[in-house]
Amino acid sequence: GLLVTALATGLVFMRFSRTRAKVHFSSHVAISPLDGTPNLTIRVGNARRVPIVDMSFRLTLTRTTVTKEGVTLYRAEHLPLVHERAPSLARAMTLRHVVDEKSPIFADGPGSFEEGDVELVIAVSGTDESTLQPVHARKTWPVKNVVWGARLADLMSQPSPRTMVLDLRRFHDLVPTDPTEAFPYVAKEDELPKSGT
């Protein structure tokens, strides 16, 4: 009886002491010019009361391709991020992949994304600052959730010289960008997600 009680107590304690990830991701992936170069951007947020420290991020693109022999393959490619590690995640941060000549998606556009039935997958890991337990999270975006010609809305504003405001209600919001000669894509305003979606 004592053994069963001790075992049950241990299992219950383990169940309720497990760290919940509570990592949020933007509902859409945005691709738009930044300083003249297209960037793929994703927003990551922390809904926990304490920061997640020693964060690492890995972004992967998967697509369906057909070889010269006519064989259909499901290929995965790593998309390097500007910052694949961060000391901590307190509220929200934006991750970027620069779409330059070194990028696996440099020659892509909305049409090739649709044709390849592209999916983007991000894996996030870190350590809970208070319990020192590992935190892991994962998110997948299908091609319908990739928006060309839009950027993630700004969360920070400065209503006065001494005041900074963080508006997390805009976490998922997108803002259309102007097309350029090198990046002719622009998202339609009525197709962008609204606040809270």
Side-chain angles (χ1 to χ4, degrees), residues 5-152:
T5 301
L7 182 60
T9 302
L11 291 174
V12 170
F13 176 78
M14 184 180 66
R15 170 67 177 84
F16 287 100
S17 65
R18 289 179 59 192
T19 301
R20 302 289 182 178
K22 293 186 179 179
V23 176
H24 292 180
F25 300 92
S26 54
S27 59
H28 289 72
V29 175
I31 304 178
S32 61
L34 179 65
D35 291 332
T37 303
N39 277 245
L40 182 151
T41 55
I42 295 166
R43 182 166 285 151
V44 182
N46 176 20
R48 302 176 57 76
R49 295 181 180 179
V50 297
I52 304 172
V53 299
D54 192 22
M55 296 290 298
S56 64
F57 313 94
R58 184 171 180 84
L59 181 63
T60 303
L61 177 141
T62 58
R63 72 170 89 214
T64 303
T65 60
V66 179
T67 67
K68 295 179 180 179
E69 295 76 21
V71 179
T72 301
L73 295 177
Y74 198 54
R75 296 182 185 270
E77 299 173 290
H78 172 60
L79 300 186
L81 298 168
V82 175
H83 299 289
E84 297 197 327
R85 299 192 69 87
S88 67
L89 176 61
R91 284 292 175 262
M93 67 182 300
T94 300
L95 304 176
R96 294 188 297 118
H97 166 72
V98 180
V99 187
D100 56 13
E101 292 84 354
K102 299 178 182 178
S103 169
I105 61 173
F106 177 69
D108 279 300
S112 62
F113 265 41
E114 290 280 352
E115 182 181 353
D117 195 22
V118 162
E119 284 188 346
L120 290 161
V121 182
I122 190 165
V124 176
S125 63
T127 303
D128 180 88
E129 188 178 53
S130 62
T131 65
L132 300 182
Q133 292 189 19
V135 175
H136 301 280
R138 180 177 176 273
K139 170 73 175 179
T140 301
W141 293 270
V143 66
K144 67 178 182 180
N145 290 102
V146 179
V147 179
W148 294 75
R151 65 176 180 85
L152 294 166

